[in-house]
Amino acid sequence: MLRQRSKGTRWTIATAAVVGAALVVAACGGGNSSEGGSGSGDGGSAGKPVAGGDLVYGLEAENNGGWCLPEGQLAISGIQVARAVYDTLTAPNADGKYVPYLAESVTSDAGYQNWTIKVRPNVKFSDGSPLTATVVKNNLDAFRGKYPARKPLLFLFVLQNIKDVTVVDDLTVNVSTVTPWPSFPAFLHSSGRLGMMGQAQLDDPSTCDRNLVGTGPFKLKEWKVDDQLTVVKNADYWRKDKDGNKLPYLDSITFKPYPDAQARLNALQSGELTAGHYSGAEQIDSLRTAKESGSLQELESEKYTELSYGLLNASKPPFNNRNARLAVAYGVNRETFNKALNLDILTNASGPFAPGETGYLKDAGYPEYDLAKCKEYAAKYQAETGGALEFSIVSTPDPGVVKSVQFLQAEAEKCGAKVSLSTVDQAALITTALSGNYQAMSFRNHPGGDPDLQYVWWKGGAPTNFGRINDPKIDSLLDLGRITPDPEKRQQIYADINKQFSTEIWNLWLQWSLWTIGSQPGVNGILGPDMPDGSRPFPGLATGHPLEGIWIQK
């Protein structure tokens, strides 16, 4: 059971243990079989899995932009659907190591600049076409903007450190990088966003976002935008359970978006949903109560969590001024916020790296609530600029999120600021962040993982640097962290980044998130079967969870 509130070990990349002439991310063997397949809704054992059944799954939002993955802008709901249809070349296991998934092995030279990816044989896409080294190369090129048929957005910078991708033979790809890149295997997963698409979808000029072709456990049946998306079992799926039975177990999954978290919980409680993901404190509290009564199951995890925070746009007034940033940081009583809005369930964040992660510091120097200092820095801002502190906050329309930004509005107004609020849906929120057409935004990001994954969010000039941070010290440390394999040195590098965030207040840290999967009694295997190399499955929920191992007790 992962409900524990302890601040135990979280995710660090396998590079910490890597020395010698080659980095071998692959394990020997694996083939097309895997351990596992059983497991109850809370991760325990519930007997032998049963094939068949249909699951109705509640999502927190619709992914209106679709699933042309190189061009996609996927938040958790989009990633969860993508995990049904697409597989990634690597995936994290319970130890936070990136192990082969669609890849049979991923190895590097001693300098971490030449990588060899061996593709699993006999894997087919849902349209019957084979997974080959050429298709893998074309996918990687599409994500990094080197494939003519696709025009990526966010990934253009994410994979900028790739120098070249070449096909060695039918099942072997070589990737060379601009700089040493010990954490490269993490980017072959990219929080579930770097799925391999079939060649037909890659080359689709107009409906790439809707005609989905993957190697995943399910294939698309239909998508009615803002209503439901249904996937059905992929009979050619390459994975098997430990007994040799083909995965997935379920016949179908229907995903239904519920932007209102309480409505999503109500749908689960009424039986309209078989399962759903939740992160709001009120919903988590209700699910805990329902679990105690036996009416519902709940799988809860703080491991590999993400961060809830105020995203500040440092490229335009008022937050291009440090005094404005300090004013809002000192002006938010996070203890009161957590008690009033999160039922004191969550933990106040000291920085972007949660406990157990590389770069975590118990005290990184982030300001504690001080109304007098809030007023002091607001006055300094006005003296420097000639205008009072005034800004707007953009959020999603979820009632819980709206309550949160209303609290932030009231806190800022206590020290003389004028704050307005507006809402957009989740997909539009990402588009707004990408465009930079905002001042402050309610945001949730940075799930635990190798800290180099944060490079794209904080590097000056990156299109994914939504806060428009321009900090030479952070840039230098990010570059150093990227090429450094030594775990102790990496801890110091990312701890220094943590401190710099607290000094400059580039973001307004709130709480580390807590995710839970609520389900009807008898839903099992939510964390999935063991990995293809036999290691235990990843326990984090912030970027969705596997679907091939879910089965329903009859």
Side-chain angles (χ1 to χ4, degrees):
M1 171 60 179
L2 297 173
R3 179 177 164 175
Q4 74 274 10
R5 297 285 304 282
S6 65
K7 308 303 180 288
T9 301
R10 296 170 193 256
W11 190 3
T12 53
I13 186 70
T15 54
V18 173
V19 292
L23 171 62
V24 181
V25 181
C28 298
N32 287 353
S33 65
S34 66
E35 295 294 316
S38 64
S40 70
D42 65 0
S45 177
K48 191 172 183 179
V50 177
D54 306 294
L55 190 81
V56 184
Y57 193 105
L59 300 170
E60 73 167 14
E62 176 62 277
N63 182 49
N64 294 302
W67 288 268
C68 190
L69 297 183
E71 294 149 25
Q73 298 177 35
L74 305 186
I76 184 172
S77 296
I79 296 171
Q80 187 62 75
V81 174
R83 294 182 72 149
V85 178
Y86 304 99
D87 293 320
T88 52
L89 292 168
T90 63
N93 65 10
D95 297 321
K97 297 179 181 179
Y98 288 91
V99 298
Y101 205 72
L102 269 184
E104 191 170 64
S105 66
V106 180
T107 58
S108 82
D109 63 359
Y112 305 105
Q113 282 189 268
N114 286 286
W115 293 84
T116 300
I117 302 171
K118 293 281 189 180
V119 180
R120 292 187 186 277
N122 305 316
V123 176
K124 294 182 180 180
F125 287 95
S126 58
D127 65 354
S129 62
L131 175 71
T132 65
T134 298
V135 179
V136 170
K137 168 186 163 53
N138 290 343
N139 269 271
L140 293 177
D141 283 348
F143 278 104
R144 68 192 191 98
K146 301 296 183 181
Y147 191 74
R150 300 269 59 91
K151 299 187 183 302
L153 298 172
L154 306 183
F155 274 100
L156 191 64
F157 185 79
V158 172
L159 299 181
Q160 184 175 271
N161 202 36
I162 291 179
K163 182 179 181 181
D164 195 22
V165 181
T166 57
V167 173
V168 177
D169 58 41
D170 285 351
L171 295 175
T172 309
V173 177
N174 179 263
V175 178
S176 60
T177 63
V178 177
T179 68
W181 206 2
S183 57
F184 173 65
F187 287 82
L188 293 177
H189 181 254
S190 291
S191 299
R193 293 179 174 92
L194 211 145
M196 294 292 103
M197 301 193 308
Q199 192 64 51
Q201 186 180 1
L202 267 177
D203 292 333
D204 188 335
S206 57
T207 60
C208 177
D209 60 333
R210 302 185 298 280
N211 291 331
L212 314 187
V213 182
T215 64
F218 297 90
K219 57 185 180 180
L220 179 66
K221 179 181 179 182
E222 65 173 355
W223 178 29
K224 299 177 181 178
V225 180
D226 293 323
D227 181 14
Q228 64 182 43
L229 183 149
T230 300
V231 295
V232 296
K233 178 183 293 191
N234 178 4
D236 292 325
Y237 189 50
W238 57 278
R239 294 198 65 191
K240 298 179 181 179
D241 68 13
K242 64 180 181 180
D243 297 321
N245 300 308
K246 287 181 67 65
L247 295 171
Y249 299 118
L250 294 172
D251 292 326
S252 73
I253 301 175
T254 297
F255 296 100
K256 297 177 71 68
Y258 291 82
D260 185 315
Q262 188 57 47
R264 190 163 70 256
L265 178 61
N266 293 343
L268 182 67
Q269 291 172 328
S270 70
E272 180 181 341
L273 295 177
T274 322
H277 59 202
Y278 302 86
S279 64
E282 292 181 359
Q283 287 71 44
I284 291 172
D285 189 57
S286 295
L287 285 168
R288 289 176 176 180
T289 300
K291 180 178 180 178
E292 290 172 0
S293 71
S295 61
L296 292 173
Q297 295 181 153
E298 184 221 16
L299 170 62
E300 189 176 299
S301 180
E302 284 182 331
K303 290 190 173 184
Y304 318 119
T305 187
E306 58 190 349
L307 180 66
S308 296
Y309 62 102
L311 178 64
L312 306 180
N313 188 342
S315 69
K316 60 172 55 180
F319 297 121
N320 60 349
N321 186 293
R322 182 169 177 267
N323 288 320
R325 301 194 299 269
L326 282 165
V328 294
Y330 278 114
V332 177
N333 190 329
R334 298 190 299 160
E335 294 296 330
T336 301
F337 181 101
N338 201 23
K339 290 176 181 176
L341 297 170
N342 297 323
L343 308 178
D344 218 14
I345 287 175
L346 305 185
T347 302
N348 287 337
S350 63
F353 306 113
E357 295 174 10
T358 301
Y360 166 74
L361 293 171
K362 185 176 181 180
D363 182 4
Y366 186 80
E368 295 297 330
Y369 174 66
D370 189 323
L371 184 57
K373 286 188 177 181
C374 175
K375 292 179 178 180
E376 174 189 340
Y377 283 106
K380 286 182 178 181
Y381 173 79
Q382 184 166 2
E384 282 188 9
T385 65
L389 183 56
E390 182 176 351
F391 60 94
S392 62
I393 306 176
V394 184
S395 75
T396 64
D398 178 84
V401 176
V402 171
K403 287 180 182 178
S404 296
V405 295
Q406 287 173 340
F407 181 96
L408 297 178
Q409 178 188 40
E411 291 286 90
E413 290 180 345
K414 287 178 183 177
C415 65
K418 183 178 179 181
V419 183
S420 60
L421 307 178
S422 63
T423 62
V424 296
D425 66 34
Q426 190 176 82
L429 191 76
I430 297 175
T431 300
T432 302
L434 188 61
S435 71
N437 187 26
Y438 74 97
Q439 292 172 305
M441 180 179 292
S442 173
F443 219 69
R444 192 186 63 212
N445 197 6
H446 315 300
D450 186 85
D452 186 35
L453 291 168
Q454 308 311 321
Y455 187 101
V456 301
W457 303 112
W458 302 332
K459 179 71 173 179
T464 46
N465 180 349
F466 294 156
R468 275 63 183 172
I469 298 168
N470 185 12
D471 189 318
K473 183 174 182 178
I474 288 179
D475 286 349
S476 177
L477 290 167
L478 287 171
D479 287 335
L480 183 59
R482 167 153 289 187
I483 66 174
T484 301
D486 181 80
E488 292 184 3
K489 291 180 180 178
R490 296 185 96 220
Q491 168 59 29
Q492 186 59 56
I493 291 167
Y494 290 102
D496 286 344
I497 290 176
N498 199 344
K499 293 175 183 177
Q500 185 68 2
F501 267 103
S502 292
T503 298
E504 294 296 330
I505 314 299
W506 294 120
N507 288 316
L508 188 66
W509 304 139
L510 294 174
Q511 286 83 35
W512 288 303
S513 299
L514 175 63
W515 279 95
T516 186
I517 307 300
S519 64
Q520 300 296 333
V523 175
N524 303 281
I526 287 173
L527 290 181
D530 285 353
M531 304 300 288
D533 68 348
S535 59
R536 296 296 294 160
F538 181 64
L541 298 173
T543 54
H545 58 90
L547 297 161
E548 62 269 25
I550 295 179
W551 59 279
I552 300 175
Q553 210 160 10
K554 298 180 180 179

